[in-house]
Amino acid sequence: MRKLVLITLLLALSSTCPRAYAQQRFDPAKAINYCAAQAVKTLKVIPADSVNLPRNIDQGKINWRFIKYRDWCSGFWPGVLWYLYEGTHKAQFKINAEKFTTELTPLSYTPGFDHDLGFQVHNSFGNGYRLTRNAAYKPVILHAADSLATLFNPRVGTILSWPSMVKRMGWPHNTIIDNMINLEMLFWASKNGGSKKLYNIAVKHAETTMHNHFRADYSAYHVVVYDTLTGKKIKGVTHQGYADNSMWARGQSWAIYGFTMCYRETKKAEFLNFAQNVADVYLKRLPADGIPYWDFDAPDIPNAPKDASAACVTASALLELSTFVHDKTKAATYRRKAEQMLAMLSSAKYQSRDVNDAFLLHSTGHKPNGSEIDASIIYADYYYLEALLRLKKLQQGQSLYTRLTHPVK
């Protein structure tokens, strides 16, 4: 009888205790080392010219497509290298992270051209400053934040995401859900020497997005178009999703991540509650393996392409969200779901391994445009590695925001 009780207790602990579950089911250390080995292979094939930042490897290809620093994805490769330095403490990753980060410096001193400055500068210089406190990085981030803030329209209450789409699509003031991620740079800048107005802009953008960007079931539109004179919402549409009324997978993942981050930075309860609402509808509609199809409403499911990048963004967000949620059962669920996603992403089905030099396969960038379909994409690798590092810290009982304990000089 005592033996039966003990077995029952152990089983209960394994299902409810996040640390026990993580140790039993998935160890991120092996996957982090795998990423390091893949990145070393990529470093060996980096071109010598200025088109030298990895972006994607199309399905059936084995070689990276490289981009210049102006591309919206330019910050992810230096960000990957900074994360590898954090995860391995190896000097080669720090040296290369510094090299590729420095290439992005001109972005900081360019007038605001779209919302992607956060992806570009915060992922590169931001991670570099977090890990090294290199004083030269700080003014670059602050200048970039000020540049991004020039796109804020106070009458609307959001940042203009795509100035190029104003005339091309007839969208007077357009805001995309992806823009939520770039608010992190504004929050950081407001707390590290920048104007306090940057904090207010980020909060207002998040609040306006929360009120206008979501349907009754908490699924997100990709784009919301506003009237610049009245500030009122004109319509919600898609650009990269299947349809205006569909739930584009990566868009929903940006929402989960963005509102979780906004709660971290503001401690406003409405952001925490909203992050859970947008996470719950995503989790409710996932397929069995936990990796979404590119759009939850794609008509050709189960033959539609998957989007591993959305799973990576969501896994990272859920790990952070699990540390904020007050309901212990729900927090454990978010943690467990994230670990299950990472375990699947780390399987032979999704890791690139010998197929190519990226970390992951099966991401979808812009399906309607026929671009990066079922491909390896650099931002999937970035958020995959970020999630692995977050999980490792949680398993070790550390804060997600712990800096390097033994940095390489």
Side-chain angles (χ1 to χ4, degrees):
M1 181 66 180
R2 290 180 61 189
K3 184 176 181 181
L4 179 60
V5 171
L6 180 59
I7 292 173
T8 302
L9 179 60
L10 288 173
L11 288 173
L13 284 172
S14 68
S15 64
T16 59
C17 175
R19 183 165 184 170
Y21 179 86
Q23 291 175 339
Q24 179 186 1
R25 300 297 296 257
F26 180 69
D27 179 7
K30 180 180 178 181
I32 293 169
N33 290 334
Y34 156 78
C35 293
Q38 293 292 96
V40 168
K41 291 193 292 185
T42 294
L43 285 169
K44 292 178 180 178
V45 298
I46 294 286
D49 60 23
S50 61
V51 188
N52 62 354
L53 296 160
R55 167 150 179 172
N56 69 279
I57 304 175
D58 285 327
Q59 184 187 35
K61 303 290 182 67
I62 60 172
N63 298 318
W64 282 105
R65 179 170 72 90
F66 294 95
I67 54 173
K68 293 184 177 181
Y69 75 90
R70 289 277 300 192
D71 188 279
W72 83 269
C73 290
S74 62
F76 291 113
W77 174 240
V80 162
L81 294 171
W82 283 121
Y83 277 147
L84 287 172
Y85 170 53
E86 182 175 16
T88 69
H89 299 183
K90 291 184 178 179
Q92 75 175 120
F93 293 123
K94 178 175 182 284
I95 292 168
N96 281 285
E98 292 171 333
K99 173 183 179 295
F100 289 103
T101 294
T102 301
E103 288 186 13
L104 274 59
T105 302
L107 291 169
S108 176
Y109 301 95
T110 303
F113 51 90
D114 67 30
H115 75 106
D116 290 318
L117 273 170
F119 284 121
Q120 294 167 312
V121 174
H122 198 68
N123 293 353
S124 53
F125 288 93
N127 277 316
Y129 186 79
R130 177 176 64 86
L131 295 172
T132 68
R133 290 299 190 266
N134 183 334
Y137 292 170
K138 188 173 182 179
V140 175
I141 307 169
L142 293 175
H143 278 291
D146 287 340
S147 181
L148 178 60
T150 64
L151 298 176
F152 179 73
N153 183 323
R155 181 167 293 172
V156 174
T158 68
I159 291 166
L160 171 62
S161 297
W162 287 331
S164 64
M165 292 294 196
V166 172
K167 289 185 178 180
R168 188 192 312 175
M169 298 297 293
W171 294 345
H173 182 93
N174 58 81
T175 297
I176 64 174
I177 194 62
D178 320 37
N179 207 146
M180 286 295 301
I181 310 300
N182 296 300
L183 303 183
E184 186 168 12
M185 184 169 68
L186 299 184
F187 282 124
W188 184 93
S190 73
K191 298 175 181 180
N192 287 273
S195 170
K196 299 304 178 184
K197 291 181 180 178
L198 298 174
Y199 177 94
N200 295 333
I201 288 173
V203 171
K204 183 62 177 177
H205 180 106
E207 290 174 343
T208 305
T209 299
M210 184 170 61
H211 293 139
N212 292 322
H213 228 99
F214 296 84
R215 307 177 188 92
D217 65 351
Y218 295 101
S219 62
Y221 290 105
H222 183 193
V223 188
V224 169
V225 180
Y226 295 91
D227 187 302
T228 55
L229 297 179
T230 66
K232 300 296 183 180
K233 173 180 175 179
I234 298 175
K235 59 183 177 179
V237 296
T238 195
H239 185 65
Q240 289 174 256
Y242 166 65
D244 291 346
N245 62 347
S246 68
M247 189 164 82
W248 175 47
R250 194 165 62 257
Q252 198 70 17
S253 73
W254 293 139
I256 300 167
Y257 193 108
F259 283 100
T260 299
M261 174 273 297
C262 284
Y263 175 72
R264 179 221 306 156
E265 296 296 330
T266 68
K267 294 300 182 286
K268 289 180 176 288
E270 57 265 39
F271 292 150
L272 178 59
N273 295 333
F274 203 78
Q276 294 175 73
N277 288 331
V278 297
D280 290 346
V281 66
Y282 176 101
L283 294 174
K284 181 181 179 180
R285 299 187 61 187
L286 278 178
D289 71 351
I291 313 301
Y293 296 98
W294 73 281
D295 191 296
F296 283 86
D297 297 291
D300 53 341
I301 291 173
N303 299 316
K306 289 294 192 86
D307 186 7
S309 74
C312 296
V313 174
T314 300
S316 184
L318 289 177
L319 288 172
E320 182 169 32
L321 185 57
S322 74
T323 68
F324 297 143
V325 174
H326 305 302
D327 183 325
K328 292 183 179 180
T329 300
K330 194 167 190 180
T333 297
Y334 288 149
R335 168 83 174 266
R336 184 175 67 254
K337 293 290 187 181
E339 293 174 18
Q340 290 171 346
M341 292 171 193
L342 288 173
M344 178 56 68
L345 290 166
S346 301
S347 70
K349 183 177 180 180
Y350 285 95
Q351 282 188 340
S352 298
R353 301 188 180 180
D354 295 330
V355 175
N356 61 47
D357 296 345
F359 301 166
L360 298 174
L361 304 168
H362 308 311
S363 289
T364 298
H366 194 338
K367 177 72 162 54
N369 198 41
S371 174
E372 298 176 319
I373 301 172
D374 196 20
S376 297
I377 305 178
I378 191 63
Y379 48 78
D381 290 0
Y382 176 89
Y383 288 104
Y384 174 56
L385 183 54
E386 179 181 86
L388 293 170
L389 291 171
R390 284 181 167 184
L391 178 57
K392 183 179 179 182
K393 288 179 181 179
L394 290 178
Q395 288 183 355
Q396 294 175 344
Q398 299 178 2
S399 164
L400 293 183
Y401 320 110
T402 301
R403 294 181 59 228
L404 281 174
T405 52
H406 303 291
V408 178
K409 301 296 184 183

